[in-house]
Amino acid sequence: MRKPVVVGNWKMNLTLGQAVLLAREIRLRLGTYDSVEVGVCPPFPLITAVQAVLSDTKIGVGAQNMHYERNGAFTGEVSAEMLKSIGVKYVIIGHSERRKYFGETDEGVRKKLGTALDYGFVPILCVGETLEEREAGKENDVVVKQMESALEGFSSTHLHNLIIAYEPVWAIGTGKTATPETAQSMHSIIREFLMKKFGASFGYSIRIQYGGSVRPENISGLMVKEDIDGALVGGDSLNGERFAEIVMRSGTAKGGK
Ligand code: PEP
């Protein structure tokens, strides 16, 4: 059985005070909730403060990005070593906003994934097609190519912690969620790819999140689908009450409490 996993991506939002307040609210609502694995990814400067609030819970704290080099002359960047030293659990890799605004390439994504695995993080590898690619009927090829390129050269042992987030770019921050059927169809393609490349039991064990305008109102329909194992939540992860609803409805949809 794959444990459902819901992670909040706070993106470039919140001040220190606001982040602590949000973390406290999440702790209050989800601190003892066990049917779903929960994580939050604050901006770098806020990570330790959020960890302090969540330290006596199972809620994991992650980073939204990192550099693939160990250390060195990379002004403005943050290394895996730094994140490890402060106890970060998840690292989001290849988010479409990184690919779009910061020129992140498939090659860079693969290198980051390698570093994240070497340091023992739980990598959340984001893949997804743009609207133009979907309208041209290329969505399956685009996503499979992103997967092939990111996972090239790794073994299933190396990848055992991996989480994939299928995030259609046209659904991120737009209010246009993929229908459960559309999402399930891509999730099953992703799982088939993993099974073919790394073996059936590995492919079956990997959790695939959906991301793109996830809300309390649409999460249940998504989560009842066979290959949807959780969500990567942007906008609604900034509201403690709505984020907690998303988490708890995910648990219920999968038969938990
Ligand atoms: C995201 O940024 O990963 C995301 C899914 O954002 P939103 O939920 O706001 O669409």
Side-chain angles (χ1 to χ4, degrees), residues 45 65 69 140 183 190 245 247:
N65 179 36
E69 291 289 351
N140 297 353
I190 292 171
E245 268 304 311
V247 169

Side-chain angles (χ1 to χ4, degrees), residues 78-92:
V78 169
S79 73
E81 201 166 66
M82 293 168 198
L83 296 174
K84 195 71 195 172
S85 73
I86 60 168
V88 155
K89 178 173 182 181
Y90 306 95
V91 179
I92 299 175

Side-chain angles (χ1 to χ4, degrees), residues 234-246:
D236 265 9
S237 71
L238 295 170
N239 178 311
E241 187 180 352
R242 293 180 67 79
F243 183 64
E245 268 304 311
I246 289 170

Side-chain angles (χ1 to χ4, degrees), residues 9 11 95 97 167 171-174 211-215 232-236:
N9 171 14
K11 310 198 187 191
H95 191 282
E97 287 154 14
E167 299 208 305
I172 297 180
T174 59
S213 299
V214 167
R215 310 273 183 261
L232 185 55
V233 185
D236 265 9

